[in-house]
Amino acid sequence: MKPDISDTVVVPWEQRPNRVYLLAKYARYFQNGHQACIDLSFFERATEELRRDFPDFEFVGGFTDERNEEDRKKFDVPTSVRNLGKLNATQFDHEFGQAKLLLGMGSPTLSPSPYRALARGVPFFNPHQKREDGQPGFGFTQHDSLAPVPEPYVYNVEAFNYEEFVGAIRRALTTPIPPTRWRRMAHDVVDERLRDWVLHDWRGEAEQILNDRKAGIDTQHHEEAGDFVL
């Protein structure tokens, strides 16, 4: 059953605590291999700093600690993060809907949660890593589909950079946003895109590309294809 837009409860900005909700259902997301984006010391450090201006500030998450003994030796979950434990969908919506920022940890990628947050007027902290080749732009990004969205809706923050980390949080705590939805995310628009994709004449398009290449024309790269070998 599709949820109705009217079911989305938006907590007024002035009624929300100075809360940052962590997008992490499992403790392993605090240190998740090549997708790790935040130094664990940042949580304690930022909590101490931000509480000077926002006395009720806190990091909150709802996650399951599934670590085995070996994992527990590798890292500890920051004590400055209040864990609400495993939440169902209704509880999750209620808890993060009271936050002033949904903070991505690097994982999971392409989750629908940032869109659910924006629909409730909660901006998203979208961490990214630099490109390995040193060129401008992002390398790994938790949500590449949201990377083009500007502040104050999405905060694109460089991984392991404390100044950017705490700076983005501070801006989010003082910058309300309206509930935000994109027309492209509506059910009827998604249904139309999916229908067009399924019903498209992919075979006919492939045959045309093949015939062009046989004729020495590469219509996909706008250059001569050279010899064609079947």
Side-chain angles (χ1 to χ4, degrees), residues 35-193:
Q35 292 180 190
C37 288
I38 298 173
D39 189 302
L40 297 187
S41 68
F42 288 3
F43 293 102
E44 189 70 34
R45 185 177 172 187
T47 298
E48 180 179 351
E49 177 177 339
L50 290 167
R51 281 184 177 173
R52 297 169 192 162
D53 299 314
F54 311 94
D56 65 333
F57 174 80
E58 65 174 346
F59 288 108
V60 171
F63 52 89
T64 301
D65 191 349
E66 83 297 16
R67 294 175 298 162
N68 55 35
E69 289 302 317
E70 183 177 349
D71 289 336
R72 291 176 186 276
K73 294 177 181 177
K74 294 179 181 178
F75 72 97
D76 290 320
V77 175
T79 57
S80 54
V81 176
R82 182 162 67 93
N83 183 14
L84 302 173
K86 185 177 181 180
L87 306 175
N88 61 34
T90 300
Q91 293 169 327
F92 174 68
D93 284 342
H94 172 75
E95 294 296 344
F96 87 78
Q98 299 184 65
K100 291 185 175 178
L101 180 67
L102 179 66
L103 189 142
M105 304 282 289
S107 299
T109 56
L110 299 180
S111 163
S113 295
Y115 293 102
R116 297 174 71 89
L118 288 164
R120 291 165 172 77
V122 179
F124 179 58
F125 178 109
N126 190 27
H128 65 85
Q129 298 174 9
K130 291 183 177 180
R131 290 174 46 145
E132 293 183 358
D133 59 8
Q135 295 299 311
F138 300 161
F140 167 76
T141 304
Q142 181 165 356
H143 268 263
D144 53 8
S145 61
L146 285 173
V149 180
E151 292 188 22
Y153 301 91
V154 175
Y155 293 84
N156 290 293
V157 180
E158 181 184 332
F160 304 111
N161 185 318
Y162 176 76
E163 295 305 324
E164 286 198 16
F165 175 83
V166 73
I169 293 174
R170 185 179 293 276
R171 294 193 299 279
L173 293 177
T174 57
T175 312
I177 65 168
T180 303
R181 298 172 183 270
W182 286 279
R183 177 61 184 152
R184 63 186 174 85
M185 303 297 294
H187 287 298
D188 60 324
V189 177
V190 174
D191 289 346
E192 183 178 354
R193 287 204 305 269

Side-chain angles (χ1 to χ4, degrees), residues 168-227:
I169 293 174
R170 185 179 293 276
R171 294 193 299 279
L173 293 177
T174 57
T175 312
I177 65 168
T180 303
R181 298 172 183 270
W182 286 279
R183 177 61 184 152
R184 63 186 174 85
M185 303 297 294
H187 287 298
D188 60 324
V189 177
V190 174
D191 289 346
E192 183 178 354
R193 287 204 305 269
L194 182 59
R195 183 172 58 252
D196 290 345
W197 184 83
V198 171
L199 298 179
H200 182 75
D201 183 14
W202 295 109
R203 183 180 182 85
E205 187 169 323
E207 288 176 347
Q208 183 60 52
I209 292 173
L210 180 59
N211 290 333
D212 287 340
R213 288 184 174 177
K214 286 180 178 179
I217 303 171
D218 188 342
T219 56
Q220 290 179 301
H221 298 92
H222 306 291
E223 60 187 23
E224 293 186 3
D227 295 336

